[in-house]
Amino acid sequence: MGYNDSNLAPAEYHIFGFNGISTNPKGEITVTIPVNSLETIVTFSVVEVDTPYNAIIGRPWIHGVRGITSTFHQCIRFPVPNSIGEIKGDVTMAKKCQDLNVRHR
C-alpha cells in the first residue's frame, strides 16, 4: 500500500483471530480511502500474520458509509451523491484463498 513501519502509530491492545489466538498489532495507521466519489477515513490495525486477506473491513466502516453487503454477490453497495457506489470482490481470488485455507488445516 506504500506505507512502512515508520508510518505506524503504537497500538496497546490484542487482536483475536478467527482461530482464537491473540496477536499484538505492529501498530495502526489511519488513511483516507477513496471509493467512487466517497472518501472515508479508516484506521487499520496492522498485524504480521499469514492470512488470505489483505484487509478486513469491519462493521463500523460499512455502517458509516451506510453500506449493504452481500456475501453471495461478493460486493458492498452504498449511496454516493447521485448514484450507488459498489465495491466488488474478486470471486476467483476468493476461491483460491478458500482452497489455500482449507489445505493448511
Side-chain angles (χ1 to χ4, degrees):
M1 292 182 63
Y3 299 99
N4 57 47
D5 288 354
S6 66
N7 299 115
L8 298 177
E12 302 293 329
Y13 51 87
H14 299 282
I15 295 176
F16 291 88
F18 297 119
N19 57 5
I21 294 175
S22 172
T23 302
N24 293 329
K26 289 178 72 174
E28 54 186 30
I29 188 165
T30 301
V31 295
T32 301
I33 305 292
V35 181
N36 295 343
S37 61
L38 179 70
E39 283 191 352
T40 59
I41 297 172
V42 181
T43 300
F44 289 96
S45 296
V46 178
V47 295
E48 195 165 336
V49 295
D50 292 329
T51 176
Y53 308 101
N54 291 331
I56 298 175
I57 305 285
R59 289 175 295 189
W61 183 85
I62 295 168
H63 180 81
V65 298
R66 300 182 350 198
I68 303 294
T69 61
S70 171
T71 55
F72 181 79
H73 295 99
Q74 291 289 301
C75 71
I76 299 172
R77 286 190 171 180
F78 49 92
V80 295
N82 304 318
S83 180
I84 298 294
E86 182 176 68
I87 301 172
K88 289 187 174 187
D90 184 332
V91 176
T92 303
M93 184 58 70
K95 176 71 173 132
K96 287 179 184 177
C97 289
Q98 174 65 23
D99 291 345
L100 179 66
N101 190 32
V102 169
R103 271 188 263 131
H104 287 306
R105 287 186 182 182

